[in-house]
Amino acid sequence: MTILSILKFPDPRLHTIAKPVTAVDERVRQIAANMSETMYEANGVGLAATQVDIHERIVVVDTSETRDQLQIFINPEIIAQSLEKKEWEEGCLSVPEVYDIVTRPDRVRVRALDLNGNVFEIDCDELLAVCLQHEIDHLNGKVFVQHLSKLKQNRLKAKIKKQERDN
């Protein structure tokens, strides 16, 4: 397997809308395997293909404490969501060392394909619901910081520019 390079905000490629996977084949399974390895290596709980500059609708997630319950979602889509909202502190492998509160639907139902190309649906709450919404946002070209106020976004961009100058 290969550890992939993760794009960092504000890289414009993070705003690319991913295209649907047309066939779940060995190439897609290899991408998912590489993404999984990359996510675990970076100590993340989720990774969207967009974050590794692959603009196809593939997401890998493992929200388990034991880090041994990998879930792969190909062409994931939210087909239902609760009216109730919940605040969660989110972070992102593409925005290192930045965490902030984001309000999202408390529960979602997601439809996707598995590694065999079979359709499945899953009802999610808690961290899995947050994670899938966050990763599907990536596939739609949206980074979690876009859920924050303009003031916070501008502060973050200034902080990143300063870090780049200092390095």
Side-chain angles (χ1 to χ4, degrees):
M1 286 188 253
T2 304
I3 302 295
L4 305 169
S5 191
I6 298 172
L7 299 176
K8 303 297 183 213
F9 180 81
D11 191 309
R13 293 173 290 180
L14 288 168
H15 301 294
T16 304
I17 297 173
K19 294 183 175 12
V21 171
T22 55
V24 180
D25 55 16
E26 191 51 43
R27 181 189 67 82
V28 169
R29 286 188 278 277
Q30 188 59 56
I31 289 170
N34 292 341
M35 287 174 58
S36 302
E37 190 76 14
T38 301
M39 176 190 70
Y40 286 126
E41 178 70 20
N43 201 29
V45 295
L47 187 68
T50 301
Q51 293 177 269
V52 292
D53 204 21
I54 297 171
H55 303 286
E56 297 182 61
R57 299 186 76 79
I58 304 168
V59 165
V60 297
V61 173
D62 187 343
T63 58
S64 70
E65 302 239 348
T66 52
R67 311 293 289 146
D68 62 354
Q69 295 176 32
L70 178 66
Q71 295 176 282
I72 297 171
F73 300 83
I74 300 166
N75 296 336
E77 60 179 320
I78 296 170
I79 58 171
Q81 59 188 23
S82 65
L83 295 175
E84 300 85 25
K85 306 280 188 202
K86 187 160 188 174
E87 291 184 341
W88 281 84
E89 183 176 65
E90 293 187 30
C92 182
L93 295 175
S94 291
V95 192
E97 300 175 26
V98 173
Y99 301 89
D100 214 318
I101 301 296
V102 176
T103 303
R104 296 186 184 271
D106 186 37
R107 294 179 314 282
V108 294
R109 174 175 280 238
V110 174
R111 178 183 298 138
L113 301 175
D114 64 18
L115 286 177
N116 295 314
N118 298 316
V119 175
F120 70 95
E121 291 183 8
I122 183 170
D123 289 314
C124 311
D125 61 6
E126 301 294 324
L127 182 57
L128 182 57
V130 172
C131 189
L132 282 171
Q133 290 174 83
H134 177 113
E135 302 309 335
I136 291 170
D137 272 358
H138 275 301
L139 298 179
N140 294 327
K142 189 171 187 175
V143 181
F144 94 97
V145 297
Q146 291 174 269
H147 287 278
L148 306 178
S149 71
K150 289 292 180 199
L151 176 64
K152 285 186 177 184
Q153 289 181 49
N154 290 335
R155 283 184 183 162
L156 177 58
K157 287 176 186 172
K159 177 182 173 183
I160 290 169
K161 284 181 184 175
K162 182 182 183 314
Q163 287 173 341
E164 288 172 354
R165 281 193 310 268
D166 293 347
N167 288 340

PDB file of all heavy atoms in Angstrom, residues 3-32:
ATOM      1  N   ILE A   3       1.244   5.393   1.119  1.00  0.00           N
ATOM      2  CA  ILE A   3       0.791   6.556   1.877  1.00  0.00           C
ATOM      3  C   ILE A   3       0.686   7.709   0.884  1.00  0.00           C
ATOM      4  O   ILE A   3       1.647   8.033   0.185  1.00  0.00           O
ATOM      5  CB  ILE A   3       1.780   6.919   3.007  1.00  0.00           C
ATOM      6  CG1 ILE A   3       1.973   5.737   3.964  1.00  0.00           C
ATOM      7  CG2 ILE A   3       1.318   8.174   3.743  1.00  0.00           C
ATOM      8  CD1 ILE A   3       0.745   5.344   4.747  1.00  0.00           C
ATOM      9  N   LEU A   4      -0.489   8.309   0.814  1.00  0.00           N
ATOM     10  CA  LEU A   4      -0.744   9.394  -0.128  1.00  0.00           C
ATOM     11  C   LEU A   4      -0.489  10.747   0.540  1.00  0.00           C
ATOM     12  O   LEU A   4      -0.570  10.876   1.760  1.00  0.00           O
ATOM     13  CB  LEU A   4      -2.192   9.314  -0.624  1.00  0.00           C
ATOM     14  CG  LEU A   4      -2.596   7.973  -1.240  1.00  0.00           C
ATOM     15  CD1 LEU A   4      -4.101   7.907  -1.456  1.00  0.00           C
ATOM     16  CD2 LEU A   4      -1.853   7.739  -2.542  1.00  0.00           C
ATOM     17  N   SER A   5      -0.220  11.744  -0.264  1.00  0.00           N
ATOM     18  CA  SER A   5       0.007  13.098   0.227  1.00  0.00           C
ATOM     19  C   SER A   5      -1.351  13.792   0.426  1.00  0.00           C
ATOM     20  O   SER A   5      -2.192  13.778  -0.472  1.00  0.00           O
ATOM     21  CB  SER A   5       0.853  13.849  -0.802  1.00  0.00           C
ATOM     22  OG  SER A   5       1.298  15.051  -0.269  1.00  0.00           O
ATOM     23  N   ILE A   6      -1.542  14.380   1.598  1.00  0.00           N
ATOM     24  CA  ILE A   6      -2.808  15.039   1.927  1.00  0.00           C
ATOM     25  C   ILE A   6      -2.696  16.528   1.594  1.00  0.00           C
ATOM     26  O   ILE A   6      -1.768  17.208   2.041  1.00  0.00           O
ATOM     27  CB  ILE A   6      -3.161  14.843   3.418  1.00  0.00           C
ATOM     28  CG1 ILE A   6      -3.339  13.352   3.727  1.00  0.00           C
ATOM     29  CG2 ILE A   6      -4.424  15.627   3.786  1.00  0.00           C
ATOM     30  CD1 ILE A   6      -3.504  13.023   5.197  1.00  0.00           C
ATOM     31  N   LEU A   7      -3.646  17.024   0.800  1.00  0.00           N
ATOM     32  CA  LEU A   7      -3.683  18.441   0.461  1.00  0.00           C
ATOM     33  C   LEU A   7      -3.979  19.261   1.710  1.00  0.00           C
ATOM     34  O   LEU A   7      -4.757  18.845   2.565  1.00  0.00           O
ATOM     35  CB  LEU A   7      -4.772  18.721  -0.584  1.00  0.00           C
ATOM     36  CG  LEU A   7      -4.645  18.023  -1.935  1.00  0.00           C
ATOM     37  CD1 LEU A   7      -5.858  18.344  -2.810  1.00  0.00           C
ATOM     38  CD2 LEU A   7      -3.345  18.418  -2.639  1.00  0.00           C
ATOM     39  N   LYS A   8      -3.378  20.431   1.789  1.00  0.00           N
ATOM     40  CA  LYS A   8      -3.582  21.310   2.940  1.00  0.00           C
ATOM     41  C   LYS A   8      -4.360  22.557   2.533  1.00  0.00           C
ATOM     42  O   LYS A   8      -4.101  23.147   1.490  1.00  0.00           O
ATOM     43  CB  LYS A   8      -2.231  21.745   3.537  1.00  0.00           C
ATOM     44  CG  LYS A   8      -1.335  20.592   3.970  1.00  0.00           C
ATOM     45  CD  LYS A   8      -1.932  19.768   5.063  1.00  0.00           C
ATOM     46  CE  LYS A   8      -0.964  18.671   5.517  1.00  0.00           C
ATOM     47  NZ  LYS A   8      -1.623  17.482   5.940  1.00  0.00           N
ATOM     48  N   PHE A   9      -5.302  22.942   3.381  1.00  0.00           N
ATOM     49  CA  PHE A   9      -6.060  24.171   3.204  1.00  0.00           C
ATOM     50  C   PHE A   9      -5.080  25.340   3.224  1.00  0.00           C
ATOM     51  O   PHE A   9      -4.156  25.336   4.020  1.00  0.00           O
ATOM     52  CB  PHE A   9      -7.079  24.298   4.347  1.00  0.00           C
ATOM     53  CG  PHE A   9      -7.930  25.521   4.301  1.00  0.00           C
ATOM     54  CD1 PHE A   9      -9.035  25.570   3.484  1.00  0.00           C
ATOM     55  CD2 PHE A   9      -7.622  26.627   5.077  1.00  0.00           C
ATOM     56  CE1 PHE A   9      -9.841  26.698   3.441  1.00  0.00           C
ATOM     57  CE2 PHE A   9      -8.412  27.764   5.041  1.00  0.00           C
ATOM     58  CZ  PHE A   9      -9.512  27.797   4.221  1.00  0.00           C
ATOM     59  N   PRO A  10      -5.189  26.329   2.331  1.00  0.00           N
ATOM     60  CA  PRO A  10      -6.284  26.637   1.416  1.00  0.00           C
ATOM     61  C   PRO A  10      -6.052  26.170  -0.026  1.00  0.00           C
ATOM     62  O   PRO A  10      -6.473  26.851  -0.964  1.00  0.00           O
ATOM     63  CB  PRO A  10      -6.355  28.158   1.495  1.00  0.00           C
ATOM     64  CG  PRO A  10      -4.924  28.577   1.666  1.00  0.00           C
ATOM     65  CD  PRO A  10      -4.288  27.476   2.482  1.00  0.00           C
ATOM     66  N   ASP A  11      -5.417  25.033  -0.240  1.00  0.00           N
ATOM     67  CA  ASP A  11      -5.168  24.522  -1.593  1.00  0.00           C
ATOM     68  C   ASP A  11      -6.479  24.520  -2.389  1.00  0.00           C
ATOM     69  O   ASP A  11      -7.470  23.933  -1.950  1.00  0.00           O
ATOM     70  CB  ASP A  11      -4.602  23.105  -1.515  1.00  0.00           C
ATOM     71  CG  ASP A  11      -4.067  22.607  -2.838  1.00  0.00           C
ATOM     72  OD1 ASP A  11      -4.800  22.696  -3.856  1.00  0.00           O
ATOM     73  OD2 ASP A  11      -2.930  22.111  -2.873  1.00  0.00           O
ATOM     74  N   PRO A  12      -6.505  25.162  -3.561  1.00  0.00           N
ATOM     75  CA  PRO A  12      -7.753  25.246  -4.333  1.00  0.00           C
ATOM     76  C   PRO A  12      -8.282  23.896  -4.798  1.00  0.00           C
ATOM     77  O   PRO A  12      -9.486  23.758  -5.047  1.00  0.00           O
ATOM     78  CB  PRO A  12      -7.389  26.137  -5.526  1.00  0.00           C
ATOM     79  CG  PRO A  12      -5.915  26.193  -5.567  1.00  0.00           C
ATOM     80  CD  PRO A  12      -5.405  25.891  -4.194  1.00  0.00           C
ATOM     81  N   ARG A  13      -7.436  22.881  -4.857  1.00  0.00           N
ATOM     82  CA  ARG A  13      -7.906  21.548  -5.275  1.00  0.00           C
ATOM     83  C   ARG A  13      -8.885  20.959  -4.274  1.00  0.00           C
ATOM     84  O   ARG A  13      -9.689  20.086  -4.612  1.00  0.00           O
ATOM     85  CB  ARG A  13      -6.720  20.606  -5.496  1.00  0.00           C
ATOM     86  CG  ARG A  13      -5.851  21.031  -6.685  1.00  0.00           C
ATOM     87  CD  ARG A  13      -4.605  20.209  -6.780  1.00  0.00           C
ATOM     88  NE  ARG A  13      -3.707  20.562  -5.671  1.00  0.00           N
ATOM     89  CZ  ARG A  13      -2.510  20.008  -5.468  1.00  0.00           C
ATOM     90  NH1 ARG A  13      -2.065  19.062  -6.278  1.00  0.00           N
ATOM     91  NH2 ARG A  13      -1.746  20.388  -4.452  1.00  0.00           N
ATOM     92  N   LEU A  14      -8.850  21.444  -3.026  1.00  0.00           N
ATOM     93  CA  LEU A  14      -9.806  20.979  -2.018  1.00  0.00           C
ATOM     94  C   LEU A  14     -11.237  21.406  -2.343  1.00  0.00           C
ATOM     95  O   LEU A  14     -12.184  20.890  -1.759  1.00  0.00           O
ATOM     96  CB  LEU A  14      -9.419  21.492  -0.627  1.00  0.00           C
ATOM     97  CG  LEU A  14      -8.191  20.835   0.000  1.00  0.00           C
ATOM     98  CD1 LEU A  14      -7.735  21.617   1.218  1.00  0.00           C
ATOM     99  CD2 LEU A  14      -8.478  19.383   0.351  1.00  0.00           C
ATOM    100  N   HIS A  15     -11.389  22.332  -3.269  1.00  0.00           N
ATOM    101  CA  HIS A  15     -12.725  22.816  -3.629  1.00  0.00           C
ATOM    102  C   HIS A  15     -13.242  22.182  -4.920  1.00  0.00           C
ATOM    103  O   HIS A  15     -14.264  22.611  -5.462  1.00  0.00           O
ATOM    104  CB  HIS A  15     -12.707  24.343  -3.728  1.00  0.00           C
ATOM    105  CG  HIS A  15     -12.278  24.988  -2.446  1.00  0.00           C
ATOM    106  ND1 HIS A  15     -13.029  24.920  -1.293  1.00  0.00           N
ATOM    107  CD2 HIS A  15     -11.151  25.664  -2.117  1.00  0.00           C
ATOM    108  CE1 HIS A  15     -12.389  25.535  -0.314  1.00  0.00           C
ATOM    109  NE2 HIS A  15     -11.245  25.994  -0.790  1.00  0.00           N
ATOM    110  N   THR A  16     -12.543  21.158  -5.390  1.00  0.00           N
ATOM    111  CA  THR A  16     -12.980  20.430  -6.583  1.00  0.00           C
ATOM    112  C   THR A  16     -14.118  19.488  -6.205  1.00  0.00           C
ATOM    113  O   THR A  16     -14.023  18.765  -5.206  1.00  0.00           O
ATOM    114  CB  THR A  16     -11.807  19.609  -7.168  1.00  0.00           C
ATOM    115  OG1 THR A  16     -10.715  20.495  -7.439  1.00  0.00           O
ATOM    116  CG2 THR A  16     -12.222  18.880  -8.433  1.00  0.00           C
ATOM    117  N   ILE A  17     -15.174  19.499  -6.986  1.00  0.00           N
ATOM    118  CA  ILE A  17     -16.289  18.580  -6.740  1.00  0.00           C
ATOM    119  C   ILE A  17     -15.942  17.228  -7.360  1.00  0.00           C
ATOM    120  O   ILE A  17     -15.597  17.134  -8.543  1.00  0.00           O
ATOM    121  CB  ILE A  17     -17.600  19.140  -7.315  1.00  0.00           C
ATOM    122  CG1 ILE A  17     -17.943  20.451  -6.591  1.00  0.00           C
ATOM    123  CG2 ILE A  17     -18.727  18.125  -7.191  1.00  0.00           C
ATOM    124  CD1 ILE A  17     -19.124  21.189  -7.164  1.00  0.00           C
ATOM    125  N   ALA A  18     -15.991  16.190  -6.536  1.00  0.00           N
ATOM    126  CA  ALA A  18     -15.610  14.851  -6.978  1.00  0.00           C
ATOM    127  C   ALA A  18     -16.662  14.252  -7.902  1.00  0.00           C
ATOM    128  O   ALA A  18     -17.861  14.480  -7.731  1.00  0.00           O
ATOM    129  CB  ALA A  18     -15.404  13.953  -5.762  1.00  0.00           C
ATOM    130  N   LYS A  19     -16.181  13.471  -8.853  1.00  0.00           N
ATOM    131  CA  LYS A  19     -17.070  12.797  -9.801  1.00  0.00           C
ATOM    132  C   LYS A  19     -17.462  11.415  -9.253  1.00  0.00           C
ATOM    133  O   LYS A  19     -16.688  10.782  -8.551  1.00  0.00           O
ATOM    134  CB  LYS A  19     -16.357  12.623 -11.141  1.00  0.00           C
ATOM    135  CG  LYS A  19     -16.067  13.948 -11.841  1.00  0.00           C
ATOM    136  CD  LYS A  19     -15.422  13.715 -13.191  1.00  0.00           C
ATOM    137  CE  LYS A  19     -15.199  14.955 -14.003  1.00  0.00           C
ATOM    138  NZ  LYS A  19     -15.347  16.227 -13.407  1.00  0.00           N
ATOM    139  N   PRO A  20     -18.662  10.961  -9.587  1.00  0.00           N
ATOM    140  CA  PRO A  20     -19.071   9.627  -9.139  1.00  0.00           C
ATOM    141  C   PRO A  20     -18.155   8.536  -9.701  1.00  0.00           C
ATOM    142  O   PRO A  20     -17.645   8.655 -10.815  1.00  0.00           O
ATOM    143  CB  PRO A  20     -20.485   9.471  -9.700  1.00  0.00           C
ATOM    144  CG  PRO A  20     -20.958  10.865  -9.962  1.00  0.00           C
ATOM    145  CD  PRO A  20     -19.731  11.647 -10.315  1.00  0.00           C
ATOM    146  N   VAL A  21     -17.972   7.497  -8.914  1.00  0.00           N
ATOM    147  CA  VAL A  21     -17.255   6.310  -9.371  1.00  0.00           C
ATOM    148  C   VAL A  21     -18.205   5.557 -10.293  1.00  0.00           C
ATOM    149  O   VAL A  21     -19.353   5.286  -9.928  1.00  0.00           O
ATOM    150  CB  VAL A  21     -16.834   5.439  -8.171  1.00  0.00           C
ATOM    151  CG1 VAL A  21     -16.280   4.101  -8.634  1.00  0.00           C
ATOM    152  CG2 VAL A  21     -15.830   6.190  -7.296  1.00  0.00           C
ATOM    153  N   THR A  22     -17.739   5.226 -11.503  1.00  0.00           N
ATOM    154  CA  THR A  22     -18.614   4.557 -12.470  1.00  0.00           C
ATOM    155  C   THR A  22     -18.559   3.041 -12.360  1.00  0.00           C
ATOM    156  O   THR A  22     -19.520   2.368 -12.721  1.00  0.00           O
ATOM    157  CB  THR A  22     -18.255   4.974 -13.907  1.00  0.00           C
ATOM    158  OG1 THR A  22     -16.872   4.712 -14.135  1.00  0.00           O
ATOM    159  CG2 THR A  22     -18.543   6.458 -14.127  1.00  0.00           C
ATOM    160  N   ALA A  23     -17.449   2.514 -11.850  1.00  0.00           N
ATOM    161  CA  ALA A  23     -17.330   1.058 -11.669  1.00  0.00           C
ATOM    162  C   ALA A  23     -16.434   0.781 -10.472  1.00  0.00           C
ATOM    163  O   ALA A  23     -15.352   1.357 -10.359  1.00  0.00           O
ATOM    164  CB  ALA A  23     -16.746   0.413 -12.919  1.00  0.00           C
ATOM    165  N   VAL A  24     -16.901  -0.072  -9.588  1.00  0.00           N
ATOM    166  CA  VAL A  24     -16.085  -0.468  -8.445  1.00  0.00           C
ATOM    167  C   VAL A  24     -15.223  -1.640  -8.913  1.00  0.00           C
ATOM    168  O   VAL A  24     -15.690  -2.773  -9.015  1.00  0.00           O
ATOM    169  CB  VAL A  24     -16.948  -0.847  -7.234  1.00  0.00           C
ATOM    170  CG1 VAL A  24     -16.060  -1.259  -6.065  1.00  0.00           C
ATOM    171  CG2 VAL A  24     -17.863   0.307  -6.845  1.00  0.00           C
ATOM    172  N   ASP A  25     -13.970  -1.317  -9.210  1.00  0.00           N
ATOM    173  CA  ASP A  25     -13.039  -2.313  -9.741  1.00  0.00           C
ATOM    174  C   ASP A  25     -11.776  -2.329  -8.890  1.00  0.00           C
ATOM    175  O   ASP A  25     -11.706  -1.691  -7.839  1.00  0.00           O
ATOM    176  CB  ASP A  25     -12.728  -2.016 -11.214  1.00  0.00           C
ATOM    177  CG  ASP A  25     -12.217  -0.596 -11.436  1.00  0.00           C
ATOM    178  OD1 ASP A  25     -11.812   0.081 -10.461  1.00  0.00           O
ATOM    179  OD2 ASP A  25     -12.218  -0.152 -12.605  1.00  0.00           O
ATOM    180  N   GLU A  26     -10.778  -3.062  -9.357  1.00  0.00           N
ATOM    181  CA  GLU A  26      -9.539  -3.191  -8.593  1.00  0.00           C
ATOM    182  C   GLU A  26      -8.857  -1.836  -8.394  1.00  0.00           C
ATOM    183  O   GLU A  26      -8.271  -1.568  -7.344  1.00  0.00           O
ATOM    184  CB  GLU A  26      -8.584  -4.183  -9.261  1.00  0.00           C
ATOM    185  CG  GLU A  26      -7.396  -4.572  -8.395  1.00  0.00           C
ATOM    186  CD  GLU A  26      -7.782  -5.024  -6.982  1.00  0.00           C
ATOM    187  OE1 GLU A  26      -8.761  -5.778  -6.824  1.00  0.00           O
ATOM    188  OE2 GLU A  26      -7.092  -4.607  -6.027  1.00  0.00           O
ATOM    189  N   ARG A  27      -8.944  -0.954  -9.378  1.00  0.00           N
ATOM    190  CA  ARG A  27      -8.345   0.379  -9.259  1.00  0.00           C
ATOM    191  C   ARG A  27      -8.979   1.146  -8.089  1.00  0.00           C
ATOM    192  O   ARG A  27      -8.272   1.731  -7.264  1.00  0.00           O
ATOM    193  CB  ARG A  27      -8.544   1.162 -10.567  1.00  0.00           C
ATOM    194  CG  ARG A  27      -7.927   2.564 -10.556  1.00  0.00           C
ATOM    195  CD  ARG A  27      -8.359   3.362 -11.786  1.00  0.00           C
ATOM    196  NE  ARG A  27      -9.787   3.659 -11.760  1.00  0.00           N
ATOM    197  CZ  ARG A  27     -10.331   4.681 -11.081  1.00  0.00           C
ATOM    198  NH1 ARG A  27      -9.570   5.506 -10.398  1.00  0.00           N
ATOM    199  NH2 ARG A  27     -11.631   4.882 -11.105  1.00  0.00           N
ATOM    200  N   VAL A  28     -10.298   1.111  -7.984  1.00  0.00           N
ATOM    201  CA  VAL A  28     -11.006   1.802  -6.904  1.00  0.00           C
ATOM    202  C   VAL A  28     -10.681   1.148  -5.562  1.00  0.00           C
ATOM    203  O   VAL A  28     -10.463   1.842  -4.560  1.00  0.00           O
ATOM    204  CB  VAL A  28     -12.526   1.824  -7.176  1.00  0.00           C
ATOM    205  CG1 VAL A  28     -13.310   2.294  -5.955  1.00  0.00           C
ATOM    206  CG2 VAL A  28     -12.827   2.697  -8.384  1.00  0.00           C
ATOM    207  N   ARG A  29     -10.612  -0.187  -5.529  1.00  0.00           N
ATOM    208  CA  ARG A  29     -10.262  -0.881  -4.284  1.00  0.00           C
ATOM    209  C   ARG A  29      -8.855  -0.498  -3.835  1.00  0.00           C
ATOM    210  O   ARG A  29      -8.602  -0.321  -2.636  1.00  0.00           O
ATOM    211  CB  ARG A  29     -10.414  -2.393  -4.453  1.00  0.00           C
ATOM    212  CG  ARG A  29     -11.877  -2.837  -4.464  1.00  0.00           C
ATOM    213  CD  ARG A  29     -12.033  -4.353  -4.446  1.00  0.00           C
ATOM    214  NE  ARG A  29     -11.889  -4.935  -5.757  1.00  0.00           N
ATOM    215  CZ  ARG A  29     -12.849  -5.018  -6.667  1.00  0.00           C
ATOM    216  NH1 ARG A  29     -14.058  -4.551  -6.404  1.00  0.00           N
ATOM    217  NH2 ARG A  29     -12.622  -5.574  -7.841  1.00  0.00           N
ATOM    218  N   GLN A  30      -7.934  -0.319  -4.777  1.00  0.00           N
ATOM    219  CA  GLN A  30      -6.563   0.079  -4.432  1.00  0.00           C
ATOM    220  C   GLN A  30      -6.530   1.510  -3.901  1.00  0.00           C
ATOM    221  O   GLN A  30      -5.824   1.810  -2.945  1.00  0.00           O
ATOM    222  CB  GLN A  30      -5.628  -0.056  -5.641  1.00  0.00           C
ATOM    223  CG  GLN A  30      -4.161   0.152  -5.287  1.00  0.00           C
ATOM    224  CD  GLN A  30      -3.673  -0.845  -4.249  1.00  0.00           C
ATOM    225  OE1 GLN A  30      -3.775  -2.048  -4.439  1.00  0.00           O
ATOM    226  NE2 GLN A  30      -3.152  -0.354  -3.132  1.00  0.00           N
ATOM    227  N   ILE A  31      -7.310   2.391  -4.525  1.00  0.00           N
ATOM    228  CA  ILE A  31      -7.404   3.767  -4.019  1.00  0.00           C
ATOM    229  C   ILE A  31      -7.914   3.745  -2.573  1.00  0.00           C
ATOM    230  O   ILE A  31      -7.357   4.406  -1.695  1.00  0.00           O
ATOM    231  CB  ILE A  31      -8.334   4.630  -4.906  1.00  0.00           C
ATOM    232  CG1 ILE A  31      -7.670   4.900  -6.258  1.00  0.00           C
ATOM    233  CG2 ILE A  31      -8.690   5.948  -4.207  1.00  0.00           C
ATOM    234  CD1 ILE A  31      -8.604   5.530  -7.292  1.00  0.00           C
ATOM    235  N   ALA A  32      -8.961   2.980  -2.321  1.00  0.00           N
ATOM    236  CA  ALA A  32      -9.532   2.896  -0.969  1.00  0.00           C
ATOM    237  C   ALA A  32      -8.509   2.334   0.021  1.00  0.00           C
ATOM    238  O   ALA A  32      -8.402   2.820   1.162  1.00  0.00           O
ATOM    239  CB  ALA A  32     -10.803   2.051  -0.975  1.00  0.00           C
TER     240      ALA A  32
END
